[in-house]
Amino acid sequence: MRTICKRLHRGDDLLLSVRALAEQEHIKAGVVLSAVGCILHGRVRDASGVHLKTIDEHCEIVSLNGTVSEVRCHLHIALSKEDLSTVGGHLVEGCIINTTCELVIGILDGWQIGAKFDSETGYDELLFQEVTP
């Protein structure tokens, strides 16, 4: 497994930065191994797929996980608020880095991620495809 390590800076949008990195590095299939940092404010979507929540305070990133490719990124985040309560959900645009985010992505050799519309869920769902070199 190859790894990519990148530091994000104040003002970077977390999701847009991960997408840009996936495109720049031509990531076919990857996973977030670690993400440590903090945000100025955040945005997440709940499990219904409909409701967005804005978190208008500084938060620590306590978890970021999911799949990464130049075709599709599917990420979930957990944030620790100033009162130490935790909020999380599906990462959407608008989660803005405060001082830093140390991001580590593992590249899955022999795999690529695709997406296909699933009429049952109503979403483009992830497809793992094994590839030979």
Side-chain angles (χ1 to χ4, degrees), residues 5-65:
C5 303
K6 179 160 178 94
R7 177 177 174 232
L8 305 181
H9 300 273
R10 178 176 279 128
D12 290 342
D13 183 295
L14 181 54
L15 180 58
L16 295 180
S17 296
V18 172
R19 285 180 181 161
L21 182 61
E23 290 175 12
Q24 292 164 1
E25 296 288 334
H26 303 289
I27 297 174
K28 302 299 180 203
V31 294
V32 175
L33 298 175
S34 180
V36 177
C38 53
I39 62 164
L40 291 168
H41 60 268
R43 288 186 72 221
V44 295
R45 192 187 74 214
D46 71 0
S48 74
V50 176
H51 303 102
L52 294 176
K53 178 169 179 83
T54 299
I55 301 100
D56 282 323
E57 61 184 87
H58 294 194
C59 296
E60 292 284 347
I61 300 168
V62 294
S63 177
L64 178 69
N65 58 46

Side-chain angles (χ1 to χ4, degrees), residues 6-127:
K6 179 160 178 94
R7 177 177 174 232
L8 305 181
H9 300 273
R10 178 176 279 128
D12 290 342
D13 183 295
L14 181 54
L15 180 58
L16 295 180
S17 296
V18 172
R19 285 180 181 161
L21 182 61
E23 290 175 12
Q24 292 164 1
E25 296 288 334
H26 303 289
I27 297 174
K28 302 299 180 203
V31 294
V32 175
L33 298 175
S34 180
V36 177
C38 53
I39 62 164
L40 291 168
H41 60 268
R43 288 186 72 221
V44 295
R45 192 187 74 214
D46 71 0
S48 74
V50 176
H51 303 102
L52 294 176
K53 178 169 179 83
T54 299
I55 301 100
D56 282 323
E57 61 184 87
H58 294 194
C59 296
E60 292 284 347
I61 300 168
V62 294
S63 177
L64 178 69
N65 58 46
T67 52
V68 176
S69 80
E70 57 189 340
V71 172
R72 181 176 193 267
C73 294
H74 184 192
L75 302 170
H76 291 182
I77 192 166
L79 300 166
S80 176
K81 297 167 68 174
E82 291 176 343
D83 66 1
L84 300 181
S85 64
T86 304
V87 62
H90 181 91
L91 181 66
V92 297
E93 291 178 26
C95 204
I96 307 301
I97 301 301
N98 185 5
T99 55
T100 193
C101 177
E102 302 151 3
L103 180 65
V104 181
I105 297 175
I107 308 303
L108 305 175
D109 299 323
W111 292 91
Q112 70 182 20
I113 293 173
K116 183 177 179 185
F117 183 76
D118 183 325
S119 60
E120 186 176 318
T121 66
Y123 292 101
D124 285 339
E125 297 292 355
L126 178 133
L127 296 172

